[in-house]
């Protein structure tokens, strides 16, 4: 290959001359953004993101489609180019209509993946749900009781009916966790050797401690109060958050901390300077816990309390003394908490005095209602001006108030209250609680610079005026809510971690988050088709009843309620949010969401059982349309209309399910955004950040490389890596269906033993001993060879197969193994040169024999299409019509049972050529050459053609095509070519110099064959094992079955190591031991090329051990120690 | 076709009726029907011809005398035809009042001032009669070319300096050469007859009036590049052209100009017609080829250029109708003759569809280098209604608006580009001082929005955003930021679009912004349309002093916004008025004013 030298961004590089600018840049490690580029497809040039500057060109050049030339001077990042890219992104986003993240998560100050944790609840994965929450929120049980739930206010479900009960769902999984034997404590990273001192053990301090601890830092918390929790403990009353819950939850946090020192007050017990010296970093998280009075005369008299002081005294068990008539001044949640506490402490009359009206109250509406139900009274539009104006026996007796009127809105948007002159009135009160604001307690913080409101000053990196001292949450921002403090502290953790690692201290850029807009602007019609389902709110105790004690008011959800409520989630956030290229580049180019051009959202099409199409997120890169026609040959999707109205739609305007769609989901793999997404076989789809494990598809002998995307023990997605050698990023309908097939399997989770005809769960010990004694007996009872057989699924790894073969021969002392079909075995038994799938893709003449490539081995068909698009020729010979016949020249259809005649005629025609037999002999050996010569001595070609019903010219066209091609490839289907005819295929290949791909629907047939697994059904046991095993294997996830008989006619005793319950297992098996699927084990598979490929463990076996482990154990119990087979060398071609 | 009379009646040898689409639309068929009967009685031959280009005077009837003198009658009705037959054909006395050419008729300047190469046969020969074309020297060039080597043919075309008439001006000889040198047995010649610019009809007229000249050019081209198959991609909206082309192709096959072994040269070539469904973008060469292949017409990135990988990935040469029509002329007259016409870099002539606020609109063919002013004033007779020239738009929605101050710009590829516009395929729209340039930009962008294929981001969304901004501005809702944004988007759409459609779509915006910024500013800053065109920014009122109460305006108002009693001043209800201007048009007392 000739090369070109050129310059990209000032760096000279040398690349192959057939590369495009985009590919050249990629090879130099320079990323040129592109949406419509896909290495599987021809350049399209639609998205215009890949424009680059080429010196001397008339304008910007599309890198995806322009070939390199020597001497090119390319710049990928000029101001003009970056401006164009940004504008292109803004254009695409102006057409975009959707939410990257659910509005709930966007509204959550702690950025909890709400959609994700709700989906996990809906999918029955409570533990995973809790872990997901804990990535952002350390005390969900507590916050799940007291949060102002901004999420619910923004929930799109408001448009349909009522918001999802997010807060209670959050609490639900946390309560389950705390009630469990071992509440979740995260793994911490290896110790970093750095220490952090955190001043304040409230929400912010605990959050910082938790996440810094997880990161491996040594954390010490200094808390002034006797116990941790801060506001959660001392400001939130027991009836809202039981202390027991709080204590339990704090224990899961302190589990990752080095030290907790309570009763340690800054400025009294310790000084900032000491901490600065002792720790690598210090975080001030003291909150704003001092009550702020409003400066009314008499407010310091006895009988007056600050709101927080009042609540804290109660929480600390120093029950504050109250009178009979209590006034609580203020309108926030603290005022409500004080009032409801006062009621519970036995006050006759509790009145909240608030200077604005009810609608301006900052407290949660349900809190206000709760207070009202418990008898709290309200005096709106009133403000105290003097306290204790009459003293009765030294006690306060009255408070003077003035009536207020609402004037013009102030900076907060609320109307400013103003006193009405001459409206003063007296209230009879003996206790006044001032819930009128909170402020910083500045003790010990003299050296820290303050804001003009008296809070701590911190820069954008979270640092105070003192070196290595950070400050976070309320002591910086002023009083907020618990969830806001958690969010703030979590950000500080990122900064402190950077600081401790000596990195640049700055918050990472916020990712671009597209939104459909605020709730008021949502087009109701868009949600008109959503079913209305009433929100579930648990039954509370009656107001008068609960006002008498401090028992918890809200019982939370029970399981049925939680599952039903989680089902109400609309899953607004985009399924592709983690992988979306549009979002990635919008973030990189710092794009702001432009005004939408999509005034009428397009309907989301769910017109296919596997694909969801959302044209509102389509950027018209055309990749789906192109991959469907160019690679898949289906043309199920097309572009319709013109200009701005263009959309991708199924052909002929029908639903996708009625189009020629082959369900391969290649369109989804090509989609750079969330316009095409997969239907997943779970109640809620997530999205989740998947763990990708590189492995191999077990479905057929093509052996496609796949990435298994897993989350919380589930296979969620299967993708093909673009760089994969065998399949080049292509995947077919079988691979695409793995996820749902696996999800729908009836997994064997524990051993089972048949008792009185019915399968019963059993312990490993019991099941193993039943199996072992039965097999041992069979082993002793006569001819093992005839009486015991082991079936190995062709979806087993080569190592499992080898182990099973040794189990049969050694442990069982001479049992046979089965697992292949006769056709596959005969085909694999033939010698000859293997071709590769890549060779099929570049072949100038390829021939399909006895296979419907497009239907049975779609990725092989993909390579044929690629070859044909590049000018190659393809021919097909089969007993029945095949999909790929459309592009076959010629396509020969022999009719059922007559394929062999044509194969023989083809071989005979090929053998007649000069030197062909000699040539074949060089490949297959002299003996085969002699066999060929013998077979075709006196061969009557005319007669053979007549018998086969094929024209001689057709044969000639195929054989001459193979012979004259540079890279001829034959793809043969093992199931269709009969055992007797397999040799003709091998002969034809050797006679014409073609490479062969031996295809079978049995994933590891080549591995089984190499391990000596056969097909011969010459004993009753073999027949039983074969028939039972193939019944067991119909789900396609393998296993090993051992059938022991007393000879012909007797019912076999079957022991199966199986990953799932098949019909055969249910009916026949005596003992079932849980086994592993190919996603739960490791080893190798050998594909039709003869390539040995690694299978990696992506999931833990459901039963706890994989098939090999079970076999080893069983073998030991049968008195023979078997070791696992060593892994075959991966990646080599045999 | 009636047999020619051996004894010409009163010296009249032939009567010709222009029967191209434009003539038929104006009523030429009825005139033709009348004349067929009337002249048959007197054995005077009647010939259906194509379009001579005087659209402003259709239907046209030409009386040819034995001495070769020609009299052209304009706006002929069957009634007028009766008089013409009686007085001129039979009586020998021309009806001077109706003459547009011949005798003293000054309208003849319209044709006389032109140089007709492409239109050489238009209006003179019967487009449905190959013999007429042959009699006019047709297919001589082909015979000449087939006697040369293909390289010599390419050399002639190269020497002539012929550049693509579709608008981009790529040298035709070079294009043929590039296609010829790519190895391969299968190559294609494609004629782009997908004339899509609103108001442009040069190609249609040529196809309707002289289809063989295009076929002959294609056949010569096929020989030059070594193609055996040609495609004529023509809009389905041109039924007359399609019909005549079909007929012409059949005739050419019968005579051996198409098919196997053309004129014994050993060269094989045939042409198929492909009808386009009217997508503007299919005039773009790569989209056109996709459309021929039966796929959705969408431009593809170049390279590869069609000369390397074109139709079905085979080397293809694609030229426009007018380009092909020039080829026979070059071959028969010689490259030097052709190259002597025009300017240094732009040779030959260019056909324009002259339209807008000009006195005489129609098809004009002038040598390259002729100034816009000469076309508008000397040929077109100046601005209608005695108004001032304000701007000239060339190249349709892809072109720019050239201000009157640049009217002396000579038309050639480079000068027009310098003036901010393009040659384009030949649309030439004259705008007078009553034209609102913001509205003009809005109009053309609206066209591009509709016609964008939607494939590439810049064109699809950028045209739409420009359109929205222009709508805002013409509705008086524009802001100064809109102007900044508009210009920014226009520049980026030009730089970033995939094909010519998107790359040129912003031209009307950019040139009007450059040349008429004050008009934009008036709309944006003062919410005022200086030319009183933008409906949202104007008010119609009735001057009570001038109004006679004739009720005409009230009766004509389509929304009944005008009330008033007879003989008393009328009043417009502004809340109902849709500002259509009908009242002003019908008022006989100039009582309706607009402000």
């Amino acid at each position: 290959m000739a090369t070109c030298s050129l310059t990209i961004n000032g760096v000279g590089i040398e690349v192959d001359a057939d590369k495009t600018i985009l590919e050249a840049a990629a090879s130099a490690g320079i990323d040129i953004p592109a949406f419509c580029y896909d290495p599987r497809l021809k350049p399209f040039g639609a998205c215009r993101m890949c424009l680059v500057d080429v010196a001397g060109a008339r304008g910007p050049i599309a890198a995806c489609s322009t070939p390199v030339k020597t001497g090119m001077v390319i710049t990928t990042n000029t101001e003009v180019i970056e401006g164009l890219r940004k504008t292109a992104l803004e254009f695409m986003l102006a057409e975009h209509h959707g939410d990257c993240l659910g509005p709930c998560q966007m509204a959550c100050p702690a950025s909890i993946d709400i959609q994700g944790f709700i989906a996990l609840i809906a999918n029955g994965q409570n533990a995973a749900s809790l872990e997901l929450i804990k990535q952002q929120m350390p005390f969900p049980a507590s916050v799940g009781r007291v949060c102002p739930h901004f999420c619910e206010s923004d929930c799109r479900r408001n448009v349909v009916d009522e918001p999802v009960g997010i807060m209670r769902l959050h609490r639900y999984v946390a309560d389950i966790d705390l009630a469990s034997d071992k509440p979740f404590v995260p793994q911490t990273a290896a110790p970093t050797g750095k220490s952090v001192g955190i001043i304040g053990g409230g929400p912010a301090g605990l959050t910082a401690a938790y996440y810094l601890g997880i990161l491996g830092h040594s954390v010490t918390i200094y808390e002034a109060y006797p116990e941790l929790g801060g506001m959660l403990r001392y400001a939130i009353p027991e009836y809202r958050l039981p202390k027991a819950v709080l204590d339990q939850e704090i224990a899961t946090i302190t589990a990752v901390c080095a030290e907790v020192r309570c009763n340690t007050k800054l400025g009294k017990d310790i000084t900032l300077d000491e901490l600065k010296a002792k720790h690598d970093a210090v975080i001030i998280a003291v909150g704003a816990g001092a009550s702020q009075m409003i400066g009314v005369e008499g407010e310091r008299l006895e009988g007056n309390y600050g709101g927080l002081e009042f609540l804290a005294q109660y929480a600390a068990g120093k029950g504050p003394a109250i009178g009979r008539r209590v006034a609580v001044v203020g309108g926030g949640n603290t005022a409500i908490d004080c009032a409801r506490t006062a009621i519970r402490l036995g006050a006759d009359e509790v009145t909240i005095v608030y200077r604005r009206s009810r609608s301006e109250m900052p407290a949660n509406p349900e809190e206000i209602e709760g207070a009202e139900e418990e008898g709290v009274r309200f005096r709106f539009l009133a403000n105290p001006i003097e306290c204790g104006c009459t003293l009765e026996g030294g006690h306060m007796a009255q408070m003077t108030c003035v009536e207020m009127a609402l004037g013009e809105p102030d900076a907060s948007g609320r109307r400013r209250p103003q006193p009405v002159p001459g409206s003063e009135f007296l209230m009879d009160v003996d206790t006044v609680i001032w819930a009128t604001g909170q402020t910083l307690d500045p003790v010990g913080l003299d050296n820290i610079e303050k804001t003009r409101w008296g809070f701590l000053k911190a820069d954008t990196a979270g640092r105070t005026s003192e070196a290595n001292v950070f400050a976070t949450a309320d002591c910086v921002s002023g009083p907020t809510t618990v969830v806001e403090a958690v969010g703030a502290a979590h950000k500080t953790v990122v900064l402190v971690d950077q600081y401790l690692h000596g990195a640049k201290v700055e918050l990472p850029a916020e990712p671009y988050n597209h939104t459909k807009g605020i709730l008021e602007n949502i087009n109701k019609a868009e949600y008109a088709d959503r079913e209305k389902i009433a929100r579930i709110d648990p039954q509370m105790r009656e107001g008068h009843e609960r006002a008498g004690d401090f028992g918890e008011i809200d019982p939370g959800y029970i399981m049925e309620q939680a599952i039903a409520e989680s089902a109400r989630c609309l899953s607004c956030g985009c399924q592709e949010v983690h992988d979306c290229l549009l979002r990635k580049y919008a973030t990189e180019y710092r794009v702001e969401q432009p005004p939408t051009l999509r005034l009428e959202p397009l309907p989301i099409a769910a017109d296919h059982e596997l694909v969801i199409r959302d044209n509102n997120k389509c950027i018209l890169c055309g990749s789906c349309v192109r991959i469907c026609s160019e690679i898949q040959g289906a043309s199920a999707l097309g572009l319709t209309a013109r200009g701005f109205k263009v959309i991708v739609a199924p052909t002929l305007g029908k639903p996708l399910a009625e189009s020629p769609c082959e369900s391969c989901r290649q369109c989804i793999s090509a989609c750079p955004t969330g316009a095409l997404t997969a239907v997943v076989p779970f109640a809620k789809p997530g999205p989740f950040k998947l763990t990708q494990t590189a492995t191999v598809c077990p479905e057929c002998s093509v052996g496609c490389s796949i990435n298994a995307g897993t989350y919380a023990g589930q296979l969620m997605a299967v993708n093909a890596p673009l760089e994969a050698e065998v399949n080049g990023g292509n995947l077919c309908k079988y691979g695409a269906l793995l996820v749902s097939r696996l999800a729908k399997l009836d997994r064997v989770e524990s051993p089972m033993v048949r008792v009185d005809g019915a399968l019963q769960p059993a312990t490993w010990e019991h099941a193993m001993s039943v199996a072992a004694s039965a097999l041992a007996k069979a082993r002793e009872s006569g001819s093992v060879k005839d009486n015991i057989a082991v079936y190995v699924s062709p979806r087993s790894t080569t190592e499992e197969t080898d182990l099973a073969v040794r189990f049969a021969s050694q442990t069982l002392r001479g049992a046979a193994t089965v697992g292949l079909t006769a056709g596959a075995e005969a085909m694999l038994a033939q010698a000859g040169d293997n071709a590769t799938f890549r060779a099929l893709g570049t072949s100038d003449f390829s021939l399909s024999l006895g296979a419907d490539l497009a239907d049975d081995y779609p990725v092989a068909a993909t390579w044929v299409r690629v070859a044909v698009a590049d000018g190659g020729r393809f021919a097909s010979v089969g007993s029945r019509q095949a999909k790929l016949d459309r592009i076959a020249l010629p396509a020969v259809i022999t009719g059922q049972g007559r394929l062999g005649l044509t194969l023989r005629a083809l071989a005979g025609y090929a053998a007649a050529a000069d030197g062909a037999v000699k040539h074949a002999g060089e490949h297959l050996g002299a003996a085969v050459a002699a066999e060929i010569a013998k077979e075709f001595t006196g061969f009557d070609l005319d007669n053979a053609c007549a018998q086969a019903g094929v024209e001689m010219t057709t044969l000639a066209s195929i054989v001459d095509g193979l012979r004259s091609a540079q890279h001829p490839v034959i793809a043969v289907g093992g199931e269709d070519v009969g055992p007797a005819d397999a040799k003709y295929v091998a002969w034809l290949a050797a006679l014409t110099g073609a490479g062969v791909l031996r295809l079978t629907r049995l994933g590891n047939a080549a591995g089984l064959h190499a391990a000596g697994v056969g097909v011969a059904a010459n004993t009753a046991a073999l027949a039983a094992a074969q028939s039972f095993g193939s019944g067991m294997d119909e789900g396609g996830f393998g296993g090993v079955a051992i059938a022991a008989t007393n000879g012909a006619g007797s019912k076999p005793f079957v022991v199966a190591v199986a990953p799932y319950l098949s019909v055969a297992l249910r009916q026949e098996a005596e003992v079932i031991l849980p086994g592993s699927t190919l996603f739960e084990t490791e080893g190798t598979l050998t594909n039709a090329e003869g390539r040995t490929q690694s299978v990696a463990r992506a999931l833990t076996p459901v039963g706890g051990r994989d098939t090999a482990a079970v076999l080893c154990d069983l073998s030991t119990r049968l008195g023979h120690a078997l070791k696992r087979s060593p892994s075959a060398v991966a990646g080599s071609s045999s | 076709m009636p047999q020619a009379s051996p004894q010409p009646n009163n010296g009249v040898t032939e009567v010709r009726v222009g029967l191209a689409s434009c003539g038929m639309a104006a009523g030429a068929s009825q005139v033709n029907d009348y004349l067929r009967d009337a002249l048959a009685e007197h054995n005077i031959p009647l010939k259906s011809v194509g379009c001579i280009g005087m659209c402003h005077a259709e239907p046209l009837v030409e009386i040819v005398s034995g001495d070769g003198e020609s009299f052209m009658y304009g706006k002929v009705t069957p009634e007028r035809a009766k008089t013409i037959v009686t007085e001129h054909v039979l009586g020998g006395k021309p009806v001077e009042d109706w003459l547009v050419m011949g005798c003293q008729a000054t309208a003849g300047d319209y044709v006389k001032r032109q140089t007709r190469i492409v239109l050489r046969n238009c209006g003179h020969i019967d487009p449905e009669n190959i013999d007429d074309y042959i009699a006019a020297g047709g297919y001589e060039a082909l015979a000449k070319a087939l006697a040369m080597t293909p390289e010599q043919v390419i050399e002639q075309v190269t020497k002539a300096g012929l550049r693509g008439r579709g608008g981009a001006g790529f040298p035709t000889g070079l294009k043929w050469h590039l296609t010829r040198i790519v190895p391969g047995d299968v190559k294609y010649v494609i004629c782009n007859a997908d004339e899509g610019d609103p108001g442009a009809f040069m190609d249609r007229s040529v196809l309707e009036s002289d289809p063989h000249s295009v076929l002959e050019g294609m056949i010569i081209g096929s020989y030059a590049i070594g193609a055996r198959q040609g495609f004529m991609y023509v809009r389905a909206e041109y039924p007359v052209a399609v019909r005549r082309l079909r007929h012409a192709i059949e005739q050419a096959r019968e005579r051996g100009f198409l098919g196997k072994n053309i004129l014994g040269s050993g060269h094989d070539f045939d042409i198929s017609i492909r009808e386009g469904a009217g997508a503007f973008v299919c005039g773009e060469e790569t989209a056109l080829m996709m459309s021929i292949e039966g796929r959705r017409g969408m431009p593809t990135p170049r390279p590869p250029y069609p000369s390397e990988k074109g139709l079905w990935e085979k080397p293809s040469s694609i030229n426009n109708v007018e380009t092909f029509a020039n080829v026979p002329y070059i071959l028969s007259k010689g490259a030097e003759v052709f190259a002597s016409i025009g300017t240094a870099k732009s040779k030959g002539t260019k056909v324009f569809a002259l339209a807008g606020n000009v006195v005489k609109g129609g098809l004009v063919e002038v040598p390259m280098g002729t100034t816009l002013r000469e076309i508008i004033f000397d040929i077109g007779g100046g601005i209608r209604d005695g108004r001032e020239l304000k701007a000239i738009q060339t190249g349709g929605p892809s072109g720019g608006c050239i201000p009157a101050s640049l009217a002396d710009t000579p038309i050639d590829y480079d000068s027009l580009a310098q003036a901010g516009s393009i040659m384009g395929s030949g649309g030439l729209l004259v705008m007078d001082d009553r034209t609102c340039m913001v509205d003009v930009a809005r109009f053309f962008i609206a066209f591009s929005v509709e016609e964008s294929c939607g494939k590439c981001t810049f064109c699809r969304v950028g045209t739409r955003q420009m359109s929205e901004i222009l709508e805002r501005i013409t509705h008086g809702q524009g802001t100064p930021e809109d102007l900044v944004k508009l210009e920014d988007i226009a520049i980026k759409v030009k730089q970033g679009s995939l094909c010519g459609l998107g790359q040129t779509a912003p031209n009307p915006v950019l040139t009007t912004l450059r040349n008429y910024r004050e008009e934009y500013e008036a709309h944006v800053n003062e919410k005022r349309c200086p030319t009183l065109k933008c409906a949202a920014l104007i008010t119609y009122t009735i001057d009570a002093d001038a109004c006679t109460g004739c009720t005409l305006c009230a009766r004509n108002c389509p929304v009944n916004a005008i009330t008033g009693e007879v003989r008393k001043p009328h009043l417009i209800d502004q809340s109902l008025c849709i500002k259509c201007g009908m009242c002003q048009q019908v008022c006989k007392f100039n009582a309706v004013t607009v402000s």
Side-chain angles (χ1 to χ4, degrees), chain A residues 44 48 95 641-644, chain B residues 296 451-452 455 460 464 496:
Chain A
F44 194 55
R48 316 310 285 166
E95 297 179 295
R642 237 189 257 174
F644 189 74
Chain B
R296 183 175 199 264
E451 293 298 341
S452 165
K455 174 175 171 177
R460 178 182 71 248
R464 161 93 181 221

Side-chain angles (χ1 to χ4, degrees), chain A residues 44-48 51 60 65 67 80 83-84 87-88 91-92 94-95 597 619-620 639-646, chain B residues 278-279 296 298 301 303 449-458 460-462 464-465 468 489 492-493 495-498:
Chain A
F44 194 55
C47 75
R48 316 310 285 166
L51 294 176
S65 58
V80 169
L84 281 167
T87 300
F91 282 170
M92 286 181 245
E95 297 179 295
L597 290 171
I619 58 166
L620 291 171
L639 294 164
T640 69
R642 237 189 257 174
F644 189 74
K645 294 177 188 139
V646 172
Chain B
R296 183 175 199 264
M298 280 190 296
V449 169
E450 286 301 310
E451 293 298 341
S452 165
C453 77
K455 174 175 171 177
C456 87
T457 311
F458 281 98
R460 178 182 71 248
V461 189
R464 161 93 181 221
Q465 292 212 328
E468 291 211 340
I489 292 174
K492 283 177 171 155
V493 170
Q495 290 174 326
S497 290
L498 168 61

Side-chain angles (χ1 to χ4, degrees), chain A residues 247-270:
Chain A
D247 291 341
Q248 267 187 299
E249 198 148 50
I250 287 174
T252 67
I253 296 168
T254 52
V256 302
C257 297
E259 194 184 353
V260 176
R261 290 175 59 184
C262 289
N263 293 312
T264 309
K265 184 161 170 58
L266 184 70
K268 198 177 122 201
D269 307 306
I270 39 159

